[in-house]
Amino acid sequence: MPVVVVTDSSASILPEHLEQYGIRVVPLHVLSGGRDYREGIDEVPEDLAGVTTSGASPSELSEAYAEALELSEGAGVLAVHISRQLSGTWEAGRQAAQEFDGRVRIVDSQSAGMGLGYPVLEAARAAKDGANLEAVYRRAVDVASRGRCLIVVDRLDQLRRGGRIGTAAALLGTALAMKPVLHLVDGRLVLKEKTRTSTKAMARMVDAAVEQAGLDRTAVAVHHMHARQRAEAVAQQLKDRIPQVSDLVVTDFSSVIGAHVGAGAIGIVLCPEPALQDENHDSSTTSR
């Protein structure tokens, strides 16, 4: 049996790909009204204003890794998780993996959404092709290192409360009317530049994505939080302006990410290839 790949629910991987590659997903948690909702299992409230979130616990991850290891029949487990700068899930996974004597390897994607999803998919494809645990690990690390993530939010309140904007909080503390373009650097969400309007912020984000993509074949994901029309407009601009879009997906932010970025947020994830193309998604837009 091949290596089994495990991730968490902050990855926005299409359900058909999870099934196709046998990817196991551990739920993160949304806490609201005294209840604990497991993302992807329980029906999470649509209104995420004021909710809090938590990562997967070591015991949850240990159970998931043990089940995956049994499925792999000894081939091993690769766990790829949301950035350790954004969630405690990676650290919980590191603790859980110590129980398995090297048969479970852990990768910090240094990202979220499809910034996590792309290395998960590449690892799962390598595993399906028969690569061993070390080779699958190297593929995931390589893809994670190539990913780029940009985001524009309508309001900074939820990011500030959750402590997810790092140094950007200090930079913007007296200028909350500004519309920032944020990006992930070494897994941490920081300020890229400030603009005065949402329209300018979106335009600058698209310009930055086009510049970063360059002439390489690039997989592109556009995430949104209750802003599908805006996300689809951004996706069309990227498709028109990036010379070699190998794959284009438009999808919601996960509830755990959405709780921090807030309604109206748009994110762009870029991942230069080589090997990210799926045979059924060449140069197409898939919505979820």
Side-chain angles (χ1 to χ4, degrees):
M1 291 291 291
V3 171
V4 175
V5 177
V6 177
T7 189
D8 59 71
S9 60
S10 68
S12 299
I13 300 173
L14 297 174
E16 55 264 35
H17 286 173
L18 296 176
E19 182 176 358
Q20 179 181 1
Y21 297 110
I23 298 166
R24 313 282 288 183
V25 180
V26 180
L28 304 187
H29 300 265
V30 174
L31 311 175
S32 177
R35 288 193 58 185
D36 182 343
Y37 298 89
R38 297 164 298 169
E39 186 173 42
I41 297 176
D42 303 320
E43 187 173 349
V44 178
E46 186 172 338
D47 183 2
L48 296 173
V51 307
T52 57
T53 64
S54 68
S57 68
S59 61
E60 289 174 309
L61 291 163
S62 177
E63 181 179 353
Y65 298 164
E67 291 175 356
L69 193 60
E70 185 174 353
L71 287 172
S72 79
E73 297 180 355
V77 171
L78 184 77
V80 190
H81 290 301
I82 183 174
S83 168
R84 74 181 83 178
Q85 303 291 347
L86 302 176
S87 169
T89 300
W90 180 90
E91 175 58 26
R94 186 193 66 79
Q95 294 176 29
Q98 293 176 346
E99 304 173 23
F100 298 99
D101 300 322
R103 294 173 295 166
V104 177
R105 300 289 301 274
I106 307 291
V107 174
D108 177 357
S109 70
Q110 297 194 325
S111 194
M114 282 304 293
L116 165 58
Y118 286 130
V120 169
L121 284 170
E122 183 65 6
R125 291 184 179 114
K128 189 172 183 179
D129 289 342
N132 64 22
L133 182 57
E134 178 61 27
V136 172
Y137 172 84
R138 290 198 304 268
R139 293 282 284 274
V141 170
D142 175 56
V143 174
S145 72
R146 290 190 268 116
R148 300 291 181 269
C149 180
L150 300 144
I151 186 168
V152 169
V153 299
D154 274 354
R155 296 178 61 86
L156 288 163
D157 307 45
Q158 287 163 257
L159 281 171
R160 287 170 62 84
R161 281 198 301 269
R164 296 311 198 277
I165 54 175
T167 57
L171 291 169
L172 294 166
T174 59
L176 292 180
M178 304 298 285
K179 296 298 182 182
V181 179
L182 306 171
H183 63 155
L184 281 169
V185 178
D186 296 329
R188 187 184 299 276
L189 193 60
V190 299
L191 177 71
K192 182 173 177 62
E193 62 181 278
K194 292 181 287 186
T195 65
R196 294 190 176 276
T197 68
S198 292
T199 299
K200 289 181 179 178
M202 290 292 170
R204 291 300 303 132
M205 180 172 63
V206 170
D207 288 345
V210 172
E211 181 180 349
Q212 290 178 9
L215 300 177
D216 295 332
R217 284 178 60 82
T218 302
V220 180
V222 180
H223 295 297
H224 71 92
M225 189 64 186
H226 304 322
R228 175 165 294 279
Q229 186 173 1
R230 190 187 302 178
E232 289 178 346
V234 167
Q236 187 59 55
Q237 291 178 60
L238 294 172
K239 188 174 183 180
D240 292 342
R241 294 181 59 189
I242 295 176
Q244 296 197 69
V245 176
S246 62
D247 181 83
L248 179 60
V249 61
V250 178
T251 185
D252 299 332
F253 279 112
S254 73
S255 296
V256 165
I257 301 300
H260 294 285
V261 299
I266 301 290
I268 298 172
V269 176
L270 305 168
C271 196
E273 309 206 20
L276 290 175
Q277 182 177 331
D278 184 273
E279 60 273 18
N280 296 320
H281 285 75
D282 187 25
S283 300
S284 63
T285 300
T286 305
S287 298
R288 187 178 76 178

